[in-house]
Amino acid sequence: MTSQTDVRLDGSAELRTEREATPGSAGDRRERRRPPEAGSDSYYGRPVLNEPTWQEHDIAGYLFLGGLAGASSTLAAVAELTGRPRLARVGRVAALCALGGSFYSLIHDLGRPERFINMLRVFKVTSPMSVGTWILTAYGPQAVCAGAADLSGRLPRLGRVATVGAGLAGPAVATYTAALICDTAVPAWHEGFREMPFLFAGSAAAAAGGLGMLAAPLPEAGPARRVAMLGAVVECVAATRMERRLGPLAEPLKRSRLLRAGEALSLAGALAGIAVGRRSRIAAVAAGAALLAGSACTRFGIFRAGMESANDPKYTVQWQRRKLS
């Protein structure tokens, strides 16, 4: 029996072929291919997972705009119930515009609008996509009704009821996308399932609070400043906790400049809003813009880090070995 092994430059076996005589026929030989040695990360260094077909500008934009819409509706409901009409208007209009943008991004990624309608044919509790589709179906008409009533000045009572209804559904809209991406096989997303909903909730609250600070008058922007501060803290704590828990798998997250920029902008905007945003209109606008930019950087950073972890086989293979050991 003879054997031949091709060895890569890094020392790992790339291909092993054995030739052994078949009993009963001295001249016949057969070849058998063996997988690489156990120390290598994957077959010939190729990715273990197929890269998701999601486009960054569509899905990352959908994650950001959906979170902004849901949190803005909740902030609008709080403002409506506490007698802050101009802050409530900002939240309703922001939710309406962000919802339209998120639907466009989602349908553009799906390719055909009827695919969204087809998902309404069933309701599957174990499927985040199915549950999310029904959440959007329940939330969307109420957010549209609230925004349209505010802009047109008609049916104010119906608009008020729709504002409260959209506000109740807002937290689910802002966070279900975390369950959606964590239900995939992408390592950095899948293993971050414990902290990702809190990170998304905090990021969405920071964005909605920032927009309220940016557009609402200073006397009415108190709830927006408090929501922004709370959201920024929750976002940063959840991100830090997730990176520590994931260990080596968090390398793409730690290397992400977008995530680092998002944390810095969120904290800076929240602190500036609390410190001087209540007295200075210019400071409130700057702080609100920083919070919005920080939330967008966080969502795009999470998306890119997940793609990086899917393309590098070590984050799939080594993590599985670590869980089995």
Side-chain angles (χ1 to χ4, degrees), residues 116-310:
F116 179 84
I117 300 175
N118 289 338
M119 290 189 288
L120 298 175
R121 298 170 62 184
V122 296
F123 178 75
K124 190 175 181 181
V125 179
T126 57
S127 170
M129 181 172 291
S130 177
V131 173
T133 301
W134 283 98
I135 289 174
L136 286 176
T137 302
Y139 165 80
Q142 297 185 88
V144 170
C145 181
D150 190 290
L151 292 174
S152 66
R154 299 180 178 179
L155 304 175
R157 292 184 179 179
L158 179 61
R160 182 183 176 90
V161 172
T163 298
V164 176
L168 292 175
V173 175
T175 56
Y176 93 88
T177 49
L180 181 64
I181 66 172
C182 290
D183 195 48
T184 65
V186 176
W189 298 343
H190 182 77
E191 299 301 331
F193 68 95
R194 293 180 183 176
E195 296 85 5
M196 199 72 76
F198 296 98
L199 193 156
F200 272 41
S203 177
L211 186 59
M213 292 166 56
L214 191 153
L218 293 180
E220 293 191 11
R225 289 191 293 268
R226 291 188 286 272
V227 166
M229 184 65 188
L230 177 62
V233 171
V234 171
E235 174 189 343
C236 293
V237 170
T240 301
R241 184 179 178 86
M242 183 170 65
E243 290 176 3
R244 289 180 179 177
R245 185 176 63 83
L246 295 185
L249 186 55
E251 290 176 359
L253 300 171
K254 294 179 179 178
R255 287 196 299 263
S256 175
R257 295 182 179 180
L258 280 174
L259 280 176
R260 300 287 81 81
E263 293 177 3
L265 286 169
S266 295
L267 285 177
L271 292 174
I274 292 294
V276 295
R278 67 185 65 187
R279 299 188 302 270
S280 170
R281 181 63 186 157
I282 296 177
V285 171
L291 286 161
L292 280 170
S295 179
C297 287
T298 296
R299 302 304 176 102
F300 277 80
I302 289 289
F303 184 87
R304 289 187 182 180
M307 289 298 190
E308 181 181 345
S309 71

Side-chain angles (χ1 to χ4, degrees), residues 61-80:
Y62 170 69
L63 298 179
F64 167 67
L65 292 173
L68 176 61
S72 294
S73 289
T74 301
L75 182 61
V78 171
E80 182 73 27

Side-chain angles (χ1 to χ4, degrees), residues 21-109:
T22 303
S25 56
D28 295 338
R29 298 180 182 277
R30 62 185 177 87
E31 294 186 356
R32 182 173 58 191
R33 298 170 67 90
R34 288 186 177 180
E37 298 292 339
S40 59
D41 289 325
S42 69
Y43 288 95
Y44 319 118
R46 295 179 179 177
V48 177
L49 302 175
N50 290 326
E51 182 178 354
T53 59
W54 294 342
Q55 298 298 316
E56 179 179 0
H57 59 278
D58 284 332
I59 299 304
Y62 170 69
L63 298 179
F64 167 67
L65 292 173
L68 176 61
S72 294
S73 289
T74 301
L75 182 61
V78 171
E80 182 73 27
L81 295 175
T82 56
R84 294 177 170 86
R86 286 178 287 185
L87 178 60
R89 163 169 281 195
V90 169
R92 284 191 288 259
V93 174
L96 179 62
C97 295
L99 178 64
S102 66
F103 264 115
Y104 170 81
S105 297
L106 177 61
I107 292 174
H108 186 267
D109 184 76

